[in-house]
Structure formats: C-alpha cells, structure tokens
Amino acid sequence: DRNIAGFPENPPTMAALPAPEPASSGLLVGVAEAATADADGKFGLGRAALPEEVAAWNVDVSPDGTGLPEGSGDVWTGESVFEENCASCHGSFAEGVGNWPKLAGGDGTLDHDDPLKTVGSYWPYLSTVWDYVHRSMPFGAAQTLTPDEVYAITAYILYSNDLVDDDFELSNENFAEFEMPNADGFIVDDRAETEYTQWRSEPCMENCKESVEITMRATVLDVTPDEGGAEGSEEAAAPAEETATEVAAVAEEAAPAAEEAPAEEMAAAAPIDEALAAEGEKVFRKCKACHQVGDGAKNRTGPVLNGVVGRPVAAVEDFKYSRSMAEHGGTWDNETLHAYLADPRGYVKGTKMAFAGLKKPEDIDAVVEYLRSFQ
Amino acid sequence: EPDPLITEVQEWASSFGDGVDATPYGLPIKYEDDVIRRNVEWLTADTISSINFTPIHALDGTITPTGCAFERHHSGAIELKKEDYRLMINGLVDTPMVFSYEDLERFPRENHVYFCECAANTGMEWAGAQLNGAQFTHGMIHNMEYSGIPVRTLLNEAGWNGEVEGKWLYVEGADASSNGRSIPLEKALDDCLVAIKANGEALRKEHGYPARLVVPGWEGNMWVKWIRRMEITDGPIESREETSKYTDTLADGTSRKWTWVMDAKSVVTSPSPQMPITHGHGPLVITGMAWTGHGRITRVDVSKDGGKTWETARLAADAGNKALVRFYLDTEWNGEEMFLQSRAMDETGYVQPTKAQLREVRGLNSIYHNNCIQTWWVKPNGEAENVEVS
C-alpha cells in the first residue's frame, strides 16, 4: 500500500465539469459514446506492457519506501561516490558550488529571511532524495548510478546534514525508519480559506487610497538583462542568434590556433589512441554538465572544448573567463592539463571551474586523449 | 513637405520581392528580430536546467506564437522521434499498456486553448521590484491551442476501475530529469490532455515533441513534456518537484504544498519598460492580458494613478476557460506621469490582490504563485519603469 498522504478534503480543483460518472459495471458512459469505441468504451489500441518493460520504467519510490530495490550503502562509500559524481556541482561537503544547489545546512532557517532550503533543512521525505538521485542525477549522466551507489550517496547527504553518524549504513531494510527533520513542516494548500475568502469582494473604484509613493524601483537593483532600455548587468544574455554566430566563428579560429601552438606535435601529429579516447569519453561524463565538445558544441557554464589541446589558455573569445584564468597565459598541453585537471583550484587559483579534480592520472590521460580527438 | 516615401518610387514598389519558398517554414521579418525569448542568466547555474521568457510586451491578441513561447527545461530539450515514442500506463489498471505515437493519433481528440504559466512567474518580484520589463516579470507564460487526447480516454483503455476517491495519477517525462509529478486523479479525468499538437502544428522540441501533458489552469511544472508514463497510485509519490520545489514557505517556516491552481492575474504589457510611449501626446492604447486557473476572467480594471481610481477595461473577446484574455483601455495621454496597474477578476469573484495583501498572508519568503498587481511608472518622456508603490 503506497497510500502515504491523504487526499485533500477540499481540493482546489473543482472545475465546472465533473469527471465522468463511472457506470455500476465500471464502464465509462462518456467514452462509450465515441463512435468507434466498443461497448466497454475501449478502442482496442496499444498493447499490453510486458513485465520487464514496466519494471524498467516504474522505478518511482514512495515515502514509505515502496519501489526501493534491495541494496545498501554506507557513509564512507558515499563520500567517495559523491566526490566522483556529485561534488563538481554540489561541493565535496554538499555545500554547493556557485549557483548549483546546496544539499546540506540551513537547519532552523526556514522562518528567517532568505531561508536555506536543503535536503536536511527542507525535504520532508528521504524517498525523494533516493528517487531523484537514482532517476535524474548526476546532471548530464542520469540513470548511471547503481542502487548501492544511490544508497551510499543518500547516506552521505544525511551525514553531511549531521543527521546520521559516520558509521551509518542505509539500506532498503532500514529506509522507512528514517524520518526527516522537516517532515511535519508542510500544510496542504489553504488559499481557499486564508486568501480567497478575503479577496472575493467588490473592488474599490474611486478614492481607494490617499497617496501613492514609490517604495522600490527596479532600475536601482539593476539586474535586468541588457535589453529594452534598462541598464544591463554585466552578465546579460546575448541574443541567441548572436551567440551561435560567435561560437561558430570561435570554432573556426580554434583550428589554426592549434597548428601554431607549441604542442603541435602532440595535438596534430600523434595518432589518436582510440581505446584510450573511449575511456576518456566515460571520464568526460563528469565534465558534461558544464562543457560541450564535438559538432555543434557551444559554451555552457564552461567554454567549448573543441581544439582545447594545444590551444592557448583562455582562448575562447566569447567566454567570460575568471580574471585569474584570463591572465594565466601558457598553452593547454599534456603537462598543463594534467596539472590543472588534478587540482583545478590549486593550479589556477580563482578559476571559475568548480570541479574538484580527477584523482587518477590515468583518467586524465584518457580524457586528454578524448579531447584531442576533437581538433 | 511631401513625404518622399510617397512621392518617390521606392525599390519595393518597382522590383521584385522574394518568391514563394524563399523560406519554406517562415520566421518573422528581420525588423522584428528583437521579439525573442530571453534568458536571465543569473537566475540559474546553467541554461540546461533553466527558463526563458516570452516577449509578452511585444505581442498582442492571445495566442502565443510558438517560436517565442517560453521554455523551461530540467535537463535540456531532448529530440525524441515519433517512432521512438512510447507512452506507458500502469499502476491500478487492469492491464498495463504501451501506446505508440500512432496509437495516440487514432483516439478521438479535442481542441482547447489554455494558458500555461510557470508557478515561478513573477517570483523574482516577491521581495521587491527587480526586473525592468514585462517579459521578465510576467513572461513565464504562454497560451496555445492544443489538440490532444483526454487522459480519461487513455486510462479507460488500460482498464481503470472507476475509483477516483483518494487516487492519484503520477506522470513523468522521457528526458533525463523525468520531472515526475503526482496529480489527483479527479483533475486528470476532468480536463487533462495528452497533447500532440499546439497552435495547429506538431509540438516544438522545446515544448515536449511529440507529446506533452496539458493540465489546464494548474502550474506549468505539472505539464510534463515528452510524457512517457502515467501511473494510477494510492498516494502521491512526493517527488522532488512537489516537495523541495513548487512548495511555498510561509513566514512561520511552514510551507504550503499542493498549491496547484494559478490564481487570477493580469499585467499591462504596453506601455511597459520595454514598450515606452514614443508617439507623443494624444490617443494611447493601454493593453495587457489576464488569466485565471479557476475558469474565466470576467473583468479587468486599469488604474493610471497607482490604485487611487480605477476604470474598467474593454475585453477584446469573450474570455475562454483557463485561457488568456486581451484587454484594452483606449485613452488619451498628454505627458502626465502615470502609475499603471491592472486588476483581474474571475468568475469565482476572486479579485487580483496587491503585493501587500499577499505578503500579509504569506510573509516575505514565498516565491511561487505571485499573482500581485503590477505597477509601471510611466514618466513624462514616455519611458516606463517597474516600481512598487505604497
């Protein structure tokens, strides 16, 4: 039984049209009227879903744990799985990077100004974490984690929120016992009582207020994208067409740049090790949330990486690099890429790249080979 | 002085224009190339999971041109061929079923015009006047004519047993986010559609090609794109999009959930910050749009003085059910400062509230469902600015 939360007693859903009345036999009167339908209102379209098809897609998990596969994972396993798959956006301690979501902290802030809503401070059900990580994460490589990895990540997120000890292990067996701190923090939509009753009155037409003073102006904040006469913020979006044109131009320029670069021999001459590049493609999944490479690749959170091996540092013209990257100088070759990818923030202090780094040198070799195949 | 555009033969009056097929599928003329969707870059970490805004300031009528109707993706707009499309129905049905796109085309379908508004529309304005343009304050909305199959028809095909009380329909998309949502079965049976066309043509990629869910009057997040599965359940799944997001935190720290309906709302689209008055004094058309998730708009009032006095605007046509209606106030402007506002009323008697009224009930931390009255300060030179007034 997955009946977890009750249906609202008075849902604000009532539209003018009632749902069709089921006949006593369970048949639908409304549909049965359709010309081509059988007596039971069916059209004989579609086919029965096979059990393995339902199993493949029916993976949602309810608050009571219904839908969870067997498995388990502990905090320490979770830490390394999280570091590998999640930390580039969510931070090594689930504290979030840049604009990416913070998953930990915020306890007790929900009634403050600017509450910090995290898994620990806000999410009412642990099942939501498991279900979301399992189905939709990592960003750009969804549905690649095993159930055990998802249990481990979920355990680590709980640990990051100080909700479990470091020896905690989460499994389908103990899952339902876990109650989230904000489980009781939600009420069902009460606008019908708290708002509609107040505002369903004949509106005032004349002498409705004595004076009108400006209390806030949008141009003071100055956060509007640069269009329509307003002062634009520095980060304003360029019109889509313009951006596409510029990216195309940059891609064209990138190729000759690579030929002139000092690393010419490596970038242009050495044949690609296809097996290593294929390994690198897997490693590159970690990068895909922010970087594109290949045909039609564009700048995203990070710059387009076509031709990156052998090109000068910070060479994509329409990408806004951090100042430290822009002023870094040098060329991306095997050596500099190894140094940077092993410890991005150590090698270029102040880089905007939030990635924690690749621990294994062989992963870096692979990803550099993969990138080298897009010259 | 005679106008040379009249007295001299112009090039277009003498030589040829484009032949047919110059643009097999047309785009707006180049002079209108600033009427486009726009993104607010600081809002999200990346454009893959992000939103952009319909250029409502530059549009008229009610149907949103598909090419500039706002986009919201949680994991990017995917390319899913009709041949690769499958819709599964499972859960509390006699026979779990799979339908192909071709199957969908063979069910009786309906046509309806509905608005689709993101629950976060106007959300950035909750704390105060922030974005200077109707596109950015109110552009997370579009209004299209959908051709689709009623969800009840599809559920019946799978042998739904007729039970409604306490039952839910869980829906999810085929993209990497899946964006699952739980909908009370009663609503799903009432008026929800699996749409295969919008504005007469196939859905655009960014709007869920080849099939999306239409949930009339309810927040846009529930209109699952690339819909691949519908499951009848005994309870809500409480997915990420219905717990950690799309819930509304009140002043005391508790949060409302299941706030699905979009309440009555309106906005003046012109004049507005992106649409200053440039034509000098004399006749002025003030226009805007209004909508309500509770049914039909019955009246829209406009104030030029920040809410001291109001005039009832003219509705351009009978308001449709859960669809945008266009309003006009045909007036005279002689350079006086205006604080333009509009106020919608719907058939339930609901009157669009001020931001102060909303804050009184909800506090300062609510984000979604901001349907407050908007103010544009029109200055003597015709320029307009987004402001809050007392």
Side-chain angles (χ1 to χ4, degrees):
Chain A
D1 183 5
R2 52 202 328 168
N3 196 356
I4 303 315
F7 189 79
E9 274 183 25
N10 184 19
T13 68
M14 299 301 104
L17 299 171
E21 289 282 325
S24 55
S25 61
L27 307 185
L28 267 181
V29 175
V31 176
E33 285 168 353
T36 55
D38 290 346
D40 62 357
K42 293 188 182 180
F43 295 86
L45 294 169
R47 62 170 177 85
L50 300 175
E52 49 272 50
E53 292 173 333
V54 174
W57 278 6
N58 186 26
V59 297
D60 51 78
V61 179
S62 292
D64 67 353
T66 305
L68 280 171
E70 277 182 27
S72 63
D74 60 32
V75 169
W76 290 119
T77 309
E79 185 184 34
S80 60
V81 181
F82 190 91
E83 183 66 39
E84 280 280 295
N85 294 283
C86 322
S88 62
C89 295
H90 298 294
S92 295
F93 306 99
E95 77 279 17
V97 172
N99 233 355
W100 298 104
K102 297 171 172 56
L103 307 182
D107 181 34
T109 65
L110 296 179
D111 59 351
H112 297 195
D113 287 349
D114 297 325
L116 176 56
K117 295 180 180 180
T118 70
V119 171
S121 70
Y122 195 63
W123 292 34
Y125 305 107
L126 189 59
S127 59
T128 311
V129 183
W130 202 97
D131 183 51
Y132 186 69
V133 172
H134 181 230
R135 270 201 290 175
S136 308
M137 289 285 122
F139 194 54
Q143 304 189 70
T144 58
L145 297 168
T146 66
D148 284 348
E149 287 174 327
V150 178
Y151 281 109
I153 288 171
T154 307
Y156 182 68
I157 293 172
L158 291 177
Y159 173 72
S160 301
N161 279 285
D162 298 325
L163 297 174
V164 296
D165 293 327
D166 57 10
D167 59 356
F168 179 73
E169 182 176 55
L170 183 67
S171 72
N172 56 304
E173 302 280 322
N174 65 3
F175 197 95
E177 293 161 23
F178 199 89
E179 185 158 333
M180 298 293 277
N182 197 39
D184 296 327
F186 291 80
I187 56 169
V188 171
D189 187 2
D190 63 352
R191 284 178 292 175
E193 300 81 54
T194 55
E195 299 183 4
Y196 300 166
T197 48
Q198 286 190 57
W199 299 334
R200 277 179 184 151
S201 57
E202 191 52 33
C204 172
M205 296 299 283
E206 280 183 33
N207 302 318
C208 302
K209 47 175 127 167
E210 286 196 355
S211 68
V212 169
E213 306 293 337
I214 293 173
T215 53
M216 190 146 187
R217 298 178 52 180
T219 52
V220 174
L221 271 174
D222 193 18
V223 291
T224 311
D226 191 7
E227 188 275 336
E231 295 286 293
S233 79
E234 201 187 311
E235 292 169 358
E241 201 180 288
E242 206 175 296
T243 307
T245 316
E246 284 171 21
V247 170
V250 167
E252 276 169 25
E253 282 168 24
E259 282 165 28
E260 291 158 19
E264 176 187 349
E265 123 195 49
M266 175 192 146
I272 302 290
D273 178 340
E274 296 295 344
L276 187 59
E279 282 303 304
E281 185 174 5
K282 287 181 205 157
V283 178
F284 191 73
R285 282 186 200 149
K286 293 186 175 66
C287 321
K288 268 162 74 173
C290 302
H291 287 287
Q292 292 193 349
V293 70
D295 285 346
K298 293 177 182 173
N299 289 335
R300 291 294 179 189
T301 303
V304 62
L305 293 180
N306 291 336
V308 68
V309 182
R311 107 186 151 196
V313 173
V316 176
E317 272 181 18
D318 62 345
F319 184 78
K320 289 192 194 89
Y321 291 96
S322 62
R323 171 181 277 204
S324 44
M325 184 64 82
E327 294 174 354
H328 189 271
T331 297
W332 289 126
D333 57 22
N334 201 24
E335 191 186 335
T336 52
L337 280 170
H338 261 271
Y340 183 53
L341 293 180
D343 181 12
R345 279 168 283 189
Y347 184 68
V348 182
K349 285 194 174 52
T351 180
K352 284 205 297 192
M353 187 163 91
F355 186 56
L358 292 167
K359 289 203 180 74
K360 299 178 191 159
E362 57 268 32
D363 280 352
I364 301 179
D365 285 336
V367 84
V368 169
E369 193 69 3
Y370 175 66
L371 289 173
R372 212 162 65 78
S373 66
F374 297 95
Q375 291 300 327
Chain B
E1 190 76 7
D3 185 348
L5 283 166
I6 297 171
T7 57
E8 292 170 15
V9 176
Q10 300 297 313
E11 199 214 332
W12 58 80
S14 179
S15 62
F16 296 125
D18 289 342
V20 297
D21 277 354
T23 317
Y25 200 106
L27 287 168
I29 193 166
K30 59 187 176 184
Y31 309 122
E32 297 292 321
D33 65 1
D34 60 333
V35 182
I36 52 172
R37 297 182 281 228
R38 288 177 195 277
N39 173 26
V40 175
E41 203 171 285
W42 53 263
L43 264 184
T44 51
D46 186 76
T47 57
I48 299 293
S49 176
S50 189
I51 192 156
N52 61 16
F53 299 81
T54 307
I56 55 169
H57 61 289
L59 304 178
D60 210 325
T62 56
I63 295 293
T64 311
T66 318
C68 68
F70 84 96
E71 309 168 78
R72 169 63 162 126
H73 316 309
H74 293 81
S75 194
I78 58 168
E79 295 186 341
L80 178 55
K81 280 189 283 203
K82 285 176 181 171
E83 298 77 30
D84 295 343
Y85 177 79
R86 303 286 184 273
L87 174 63
M88 181 185 289
I89 295 179
N90 70 311
L92 304 173
V93 291
D94 290 344
T95 315
M97 296 288 290
V98 174
F99 301 108
S100 66
Y101 182 82
E102 206 170 42
D103 293 329
L104 292 185
E105 284 186 316
R106 298 170 69 191
F107 285 103
R109 54 183 180 266
E110 299 179 359
N111 285 200
H112 298 276
V113 175
Y114 293 123
F115 77 83
C116 172
E117 184 186 17
C118 177
N121 198 18
T122 322
M124 290 90 77
E125 300 291 300
W126 189 257
Q130 180 161 235
L131 286 159
N132 208 25
Q135 177 169 20
F136 303 111
T137 57
H138 289 76
M140 295 180 191
I141 188 166
H142 54 62
N143 191 64
M144 300 197 208
E145 183 196 34
Y146 294 97
S147 308
I149 302 97
V151 167
R152 63 176 172 272
T153 303
L154 298 169
L155 297 184
N156 188 61
E157 191 72 12
W160 162 59
N161 67 8
E163 263 188 83
V164 180
E165 188 72 28
K167 304 301 178 200
W168 294 70
L169 189 69
Y170 180 72
V171 291
E172 70 178 17
D175 65 316
S177 79
S178 78
N179 189 42
R181 291 290 306 245
S182 311
I183 301 174
L185 189 55
E186 186 167 22
K187 170 69 177 178
L189 294 165
D190 175 22
D191 58 3
C192 293
L193 301 173
V194 172
I196 55 175
K197 296 284 166 71
N199 293 345
E201 65 177 358
L203 296 170
R204 296 290 174 93
K205 171 173 75 176
E206 62 268 36
H207 299 133
Y209 179 93
R212 85 173 303 169
L213 193 66
V214 167
V215 188
W218 286 20
E219 61 191 17
N221 181 256
M222 306 174 90
W223 296 46
V224 171
K225 299 190 289 189
W226 313 290
I227 184 164
R228 78 168 193 185
R229 195 168 68 93
M230 304 197 287
E231 176 187 6
I232 300 180
T233 62
D234 279 322
I237 299 300
E238 303 283 6
S239 70
R240 187 243 194 185
E241 301 295 324
E242 52 201 12
T243 52
S244 86
K245 306 292 174 189
Y246 303 96
T247 47
D248 316 312
T249 301
L250 304 169
D252 66 359
T254 60
S255 303
R256 288 174 177 164
K257 65 174 181 177
W258 304 348
T259 48
W260 302 305
V261 183
M262 303 308 295
D263 290 328
K265 185 165 169 180
S266 67
V267 65
V268 171
T269 51
S270 178
S272 66
Q274 295 157 291
M275 293 293 282
I277 304 172
T278 55
H279 56 52
H281 299 172
L284 170 70
V285 173
I286 297 172
T287 187
M289 53 199 213
W291 61 96
T292 173
H294 291 281
R296 292 167 207 278
I297 291 289
T298 50
R299 193 174 109 190
V300 180
D301 297 329
V302 171
S303 175
K304 297 174 187 168
D305 56 16
K308 284 187 206 166
T309 57
W310 295 83
E311 301 171 69
T312 296
R314 170 170 66 88
L315 300 186
D318 289 342
N321 178 35
K322 305 181 183 98
L324 284 191
V325 65
R326 170 69 46 183
F327 67 85
Y328 295 105
L329 187 72
D330 307 300
T331 189
E332 186 94 3
W333 178 70
N334 290 303
E336 65 275 18
E337 177 178 81
M338 294 190 286
F339 292 100
L340 278 183
Q341 298 183 333
S342 65
R343 179 176 70 188
M345 277 153 271
D346 72 21
E347 62 184 328
T348 69
Y350 181 93
V351 182
Q352 184 182 357
T354 62
K355 206 183 282 186
Q357 284 176 303
L358 286 171
R359 286 176 180 154
E360 178 78 26
V361 178
R362 303 185 194 170
L364 291 170
N365 287 331
S366 205
I367 298 165
Y368 303 106
H369 296 280
N370 179 4
N371 65 321
C372 71
I373 290 172
Q374 171 67 40
T375 308
W376 305 128
W377 174 28
V378 180
K379 301 165 196 180
N381 66 3
E383 284 177 7
E385 181 179 340
N386 175 14
V387 296
E388 267 183 35
V389 294
S390 55

